[in-house]
Amino acid sequence: MPVGQELRFTGRDAGDIVISVGDASRTAVSDWLRIRTTSRRITTNLASLRNALETSTVLDAVGEELRPRAVAVACALAEELQVHDLKLGVNAKLKYPKLFLQVDTQRRDIFISETTREVPHQLTPAEERDLRRNPWKMFPTVDKVLDGKLRLTVDRDGWSSQGGRQRDEWTDTPSRPLEHRAKVIAKEIKKGVVDDRDARERAEQARAEAIEERQRKLDEERRVWKGIQAEAWEKAIERLREAAFMDAFDAWRGARELRSFARELEVALGENGLGERARLREWLEWARQRADEMDPVVNLGKLDDSALDFKPSADELRPYMQGWDPSAPHKDYSLVYTNGQQPAPTMPERRPWHPGMQGKPSWWR
């Protein structure tokens, strides 16, 4: 043994044989105690299996007369399953112990029961007295009684069309009881295990293909969306540039009209002998200063490169997105509330110019 390691084993007298090598740490000892305790109550050993079947409640669904046959069926099946690298075991740790089939790291429930048949229900004296007192009371019309045949059921993967667990089932026949068919049943169980594994692999492959196809569609949608978004970005920027140019053009035109108006007004004042009116000349000077403030030609600092660095908002991109959301690669759900109509691109409202209407109007206007 390696230095610092210990050899541990269990199952010499009962249960499966388990051999372990580990150190003396608290964690290793705790794990070993769990394994040792579990191995005594969960076993696939043939000798322990027979003892568990005879002493536990695993075969409670079988009448006393058929109990020895049920034990023989389970033991014969366990021997035949070993040929196919499968194990039949008993889990006695549960409140209701059960048989299981060990498939790799999974367990499938196995049930051995006695079949029943329906017979007409015979009222008991107590039920007859109850019926006389309560004529409206209902009693079962049939009873189920044991009919002396064994049934073996093995769980499979998946669910049946009726909504229950998918299962394989074998029942006694007059010429071939279950204990004489252990070899055939073991082969069919092995075939079911292989079929389930193949079906699981096909399902996993189909799921992987579906995920891959879904991802491919998402990538294609994102590619299309990016192309549409790039086009919408260019169109929105062009629209914003047009609007900015029109604002500058309107301001330039307004400044020229304001200067022209002030010049004509100054000429009229001179022709009418009113040129000495200082208050009027002060007002005309203010008008010319206001025109210089508005004129983009005079204020070229306002037209630097940053004035053309537009970043369209989602609402400004939406009219050009062809039904796509401006911020994510999916359809624009906001269009549901507008009857699916794409909003038309709009330019800022053009209004007749005069100095009082430049920029945002005052509240009293």
Side-chain angles (χ1 to χ4, degrees):
M1 291 297 299
V3 178
Q5 299 292 308
E6 298 177 352
L7 178 67
R8 304 185 180 100
F9 66 92
T10 185
R12 181 179 57 184
D13 300 324
D16 292 344
I17 296 177
V18 180
I19 302 174
S20 174
V21 176
D23 55 31
S25 66
R26 179 175 298 181
T27 302
V29 172
S30 299
D31 290 342
W32 171 246
L33 290 176
R34 175 181 54 79
I35 294 172
R36 185 166 61 88
T37 305
T38 300
S39 66
R40 293 178 179 179
R41 307 297 303 278
I42 301 176
T43 180
T44 58
N45 181 275
L46 290 181
S48 300
L49 176 65
R50 179 180 291 275
N51 181 66
L53 291 172
E54 293 175 346
T55 58
S56 68
T57 60
V58 174
L59 299 178
D60 274 4
V62 179
E64 289 294 334
E65 296 181 359
L66 291 183
R67 191 73 60 84
R69 279 193 58 214
V71 173
V73 168
C75 293
L77 183 60
E79 292 180 0
E80 295 296 337
L81 286 173
Q82 287 184 345
V83 179
H84 302 285
D85 297 326
L86 298 175
K87 293 182 180 181
L88 185 68
V90 173
N91 185 354
K93 289 184 63 177
L94 304 175
K95 182 178 181 181
Y96 302 102
K98 62 173 62 177
L99 278 170
F100 65 85
L101 176 68
Q102 188 74 37
V103 181
D104 298 328
T105 59
Q106 299 179 346
R107 291 176 182 171
R108 299 186 180 187
D109 290 340
I110 295 181
F111 305 95
I112 299 179
S113 59
E114 188 173 352
T115 60
T116 60
R117 57 186 175 86
E118 293 183 349
V119 297
H121 178 70
Q122 298 294 331
L123 293 176
T124 64
E127 291 174 342
E128 290 179 351
R129 289 194 300 270
D130 195 9
L131 189 61
R132 286 194 295 270
R133 288 193 297 267
N134 306 299
W136 59 85
K137 194 167 184 179
M138 303 293 293
F139 292 97
T141 58
V142 295
D143 291 325
K144 292 184 177 181
V145 296
L146 300 176
D147 66 353
K149 295 180 180 179
L150 289 178
R151 177 191 293 119
L152 173 67
T153 306
V154 180
D155 279 354
R156 294 276 302 272
D157 286 347
W159 300 86
S160 65
S161 57
Q162 288 77 22
R165 187 79 182 182
Q166 185 176 352
R167 293 172 174 173
D168 289 333
E169 185 176 291
W170 299 267
T171 308
D172 277 341
T173 63
S175 60
R176 300 189 66 190
L178 289 180
E179 57 266 31
H180 295 168
R181 297 155 57 192
K183 183 177 294 187
V184 175
I185 293 174
K187 289 181 180 179
E188 293 178 356
I189 291 176
K190 178 63 175 181
K191 182 179 181 301
V193 170
V194 174
D195 291 345
D196 289 346
R197 185 183 296 117
D198 293 343
R200 187 164 54 250
E201 290 176 355
R202 289 194 299 270
E204 291 175 357
Q205 182 179 359
R207 182 164 56 250
E209 291 175 354
I211 293 174
E212 183 179 353
E213 177 65 18
R214 173 62 178 165
Q215 187 61 44
R216 188 191 64 79
K217 289 183 178 179
L218 290 177
D219 293 341
E220 178 64 18
E221 288 181 355
R222 178 172 289 277
R223 186 188 65 78
V224 173
W225 173 76
K226 280 186 173 295
I228 294 176
Q229 187 191 46
E231 294 179 1
W233 189 276
E234 293 179 0
K235 293 179 180 178
I237 287 180
E238 186 173 354
R239 179 67 64 171
L240 291 173
R241 286 177 176 175
E242 290 177 358
F245 184 84
M246 290 302 297
D247 289 341
F249 178 75
D250 286 347
W252 172 75
R253 184 172 57 184
R256 291 188 60 184
E257 293 175 353
L258 184 56
R259 292 191 188 98
S260 177
F261 171 70
R263 185 170 52 254
E264 293 184 10
L265 186 60
E266 187 176 24
V267 171
L269 289 175
E271 292 177 350
N272 290 280
L274 301 176
E276 300 301 327
R277 297 181 58 179
R279 297 291 296 170
L280 283 177
R281 290 191 173 280
E282 182 181 348
W283 185 82
L284 292 176
E285 186 61 26
W286 171 85
R288 291 189 177 95
Q289 293 178 358
R290 185 70 181 92
D292 290 341
E293 293 174 1
M294 294 167 45
D295 195 346
V297 176
V298 177
N299 299 280
L300 292 177
K302 297 181 179 180
L303 295 179
D304 58 1
D305 294 341
S306 62
L308 298 178
D309 292 338
F310 300 109
K311 292 184 178 180
S313 65
D315 290 336
E316 290 168 338
L317 289 174
R318 185 168 282 111
Y320 309 101
M321 287 301 298
Q322 303 178 24
W324 290 82
D325 191 279
S327 56
H330 57 70
K331 295 299 180 181
D332 191 351
Y333 302 118
S334 66
L335 298 181
V336 175
Y337 303 100
T338 59
N339 297 322
Q341 296 296 323
Q342 207 39 286
T346 57
M347 290 284 288
E349 182 181 356
R350 300 291 115 199
R351 295 171 294 179
W353 181 90
H354 63 78
M357 289 296 290
Q358 286 297 316
K360 191 174 181 179
S362 303
W363 65 270
W364 61 83
R365 292 193 179 95

